[in-house]
Amino acid sequence: QTEDVRVFGQTVREVDLFVSEVLAGAHIAILDQHLAYGGDNNVLGTDIARRLVAQGYSGLICIRSANMATEDQEQYAEAGAHCWFGKDMIMKDMVKALKAAYLDSIVRDTSSVDSIV
């Protein structure tokens, strides 16, 4: 089902709306690493990921980027992303990897709750 999928990012003003919508109950947030709006209005997906984590978001955070070097992947993880995909990744493969990451996150969350109880 894709009826609950929303796409943001046409303008820099949509970044705050995206954060609000994700915090309101999204299970998965997929962030482009480089949102280029021109001038000083460029936004990094890692900055958005940090905002989401700082505001208590516990869902799956994924980064899409053309930059997939080891140091880039370390930055994505440090920002709070659970997974990252190269922009050259075939969509079918990305969906399969996204599903696996989401299922892993559910198991991780369930394990955390079980260890608390």
Side-chain angles (χ1 to χ4, degrees), residues 45-100:
T46 46
D47 291 337
I48 298 170
R50 284 185 188 91
R51 282 179 62 185
L52 291 170
V53 171
Q55 294 183 50
Y57 180 67
S58 61
L60 186 71
I61 300 173
C62 303
I63 301 279
R64 281 201 75 211
S65 180
N67 302 314
M68 295 302 291
T70 301
E71 57 270 12
D72 296 312
Q73 294 179 37
E74 289 170 356
Q75 287 179 356
Y76 306 151
E78 289 170 5
H82 303 97
C83 54
W84 35 89
F85 309 111
K87 288 192 177 179
D88 60 346
M89 185 179 235
I90 297 169
M91 188 59 67
K92 179 180 173 183
D93 294 338
M94 188 182 100
V95 169
K96 189 183 292 186
L98 180 63
K99 178 181 177 182

Side-chain angles (χ1 to χ4, degrees), residues 1 8 10 12-13 17-18 24 35 44 53 58 74 97 107 112:
Q1 284 186 341
F8 297 83
Q10 290 288 19
V12 71
R13 291 184 295 272
L17 177 60
F18 171 79
L35 297 168
L44 295 176
V53 171
S58 61
E74 289 170 356
V107 170
S112 297

